[in-house]
Structures are given as C-alpha cells and as structure tokens.
Amino acid sequence: MIKFENVSKVYPNGTKGLTNINLTIEQGEFVAIIGTSGAGKSTLIRCVNGLNNITQGNLLVNDTDVAKLKGKELRQFRRHVGMIFQSYNLVPRATVLKNVMFARVPDMNLFKVIFGLFSKEDKLAALDSLNKVGILDKAFIRADQLSGGQQQRVSLARALTQDTDILLADEPVSALDPVTAKEVMDDFKRINEDLNKTILLNIHHVELALEYASRIVAIKKGEIVYDGPSQNVTKEILDEVYRKEA
C-alpha cells in the first residue's frame, strides 16, 4: 500500500511541486496520474521511491516511512519498488539479458558485479521476465539494436526481475508511436491483472489513461483535483484539469 498523508514538496528554488496531497493506493490497483506538464505528476511518482524528498507530511509504502530513509536503508528500500523511466535507462552495448539481470546487482558482491558473474537463478528470473513482456527472443541482442518499444519492454522486464509488488512508471510511453504505446500499455495491464502488481504511472496521453487504468488521479498545480474511477471522468473534469489559467 502507498499512503500520502498531507504531503507537500517544495523545491530549493521555492517552486511548489506538491501541496497537501492525501492519497491511498491499495495493493493491485492500476492508477494513472494525469495533468499538464509541470503539474506535479513526476514529482509525486518520484516521492514514492525517495528520488524526491518530501518537505512535509507522511509518506508510507508498505508501512515504511520513506521520508526517514537515508543512505543504505534508502537503497535497500528502492530494490523493492520497480521504476520504469521515459528514457529506458539501459546500458546500450550490453545484451538485453544482462540489462535485465542488472536488477540483481544490488544484492551481489563487488567481485561478481565487476566480472558479471550472475547466478543461474538470476538468469532464469531475467528470462522469465522477458517472457512475460513478450521479448524472450531478444535476450542475446544488444539493447541499442532494439526499437523504442522493445527497449521499454526491457526496462519493464528489469523492474519485474526485482520481484517487487509495486511498479512506478514516469511517462513510459511518451516517446513511442501510438501503436507501440498501446502495446506497452497492454503489457502493464497484463502484469497488473495476472501478477497483482500495483501500477502507478503518470502519462500525458489521456485516452490511454482512461482506457487502461482503473483509477485516475488528476493533478493541477501540485494539488489533486480528481481522484476516482476512470469511467467517471467527464469532459468537464478534463476541461478543468487542462484549462489554462488566464
């Protein structure tokens, strides 16, 4: 479970990222965060795994107080929260399989990391994750030889290999063409339903958010202006979320 209690985030330059956020996400939910650029979508996502520190309030992830985590404790916590980035964050010259196995690096000693001595268990887990996202046949191809959609699937497989119950995604399909974006969203939906993974993603494609997510959280100027089922989102709500202030 992810629970925001009166959470605010103010950046060092004084910019308000989030203001008084109260939000609870139960295990197994598929939640999409929508809003204009700069509304606070990425800020909210990145608070969950401590990439952004909150300024005030409480943020609990499976009963762990994220704001209190520092150093080694924070790094250990992040192993249990998968993160998928817009830019894929892959090692281009490494194979797809190695990129996925890198999810296990934090649990390995330095010698094994330097020489890439992954265990049989690591390899099997990585291959299983690649199979779940439909690119098992690409396991021994270099990551930089894949299309954008395939690279994002590698990123998703890497997150699955962390064996976490929570997957965060920061604009995972914004760099993809419409057809490929739907294919990647299909992967998210299948993982959510088949594996009961909590999916929390921010997305600027409103139509994809409404089609795939069961719950929509709309943010405007760092505040939640709608939180409810995707089927209850109306044109009036969207007009309010995306209306430019005079």
Side-chain angles (χ1 to χ4, degrees), residues 4 6 9 33 35 39 43 66 76 86 90 99 102 104 108-109 111 116 137 146 172 175 229 241:
F4 289 76
N6 300 311
K9 165 66 179 178
I33 305 169
T43 298
V66 180
Q76 290 177 335
Q86 175 184 347
L90 303 179
N99 268 283
F102 287 152
R104 298 296 183 95
M108 296 168 59
N109 63 47
F111 177 83
D137 60 320
L146 302 182
V241 173

Side-chain angles (χ1 to χ4, degrees), residues 103-121:
R104 298 296 183 95
V105 164
D107 297 317
M108 296 168 59
N109 63 47
L110 183 59
F111 177 83
K112 289 185 176 181
V113 172
I114 291 174
F115 291 97
L117 301 177
F118 295 96
S119 69
K120 180 180 179 181
E121 180 186 40

Side-chain angles (χ1 to χ4, degrees), residues 71-126:
K72 183 179 180 180
E73 286 185 339
L74 180 58
R75 291 192 296 272
Q76 290 177 335
F77 165 76
R78 285 176 179 159
R79 297 180 197 178
H80 303 290
V81 181
M83 184 75 175
I84 297 97
F85 297 91
Q86 175 184 347
S87 57
Y88 320 133
N89 280 21
L90 303 179
V91 179
R93 293 182 177 274
T95 66
V96 165
L97 181 61
K98 276 195 174 182
N99 268 283
V100 176
M101 289 192 297
F102 287 152
R104 298 296 183 95
V105 164
D107 297 317
M108 296 168 59
N109 63 47
L110 183 59
F111 177 83
K112 289 185 176 181
V113 172
I114 291 174
F115 291 97
L117 301 177
F118 295 96
S119 69
K120 180 180 179 181
E121 180 186 40
D122 293 335
K123 293 177 182 177
L124 290 175

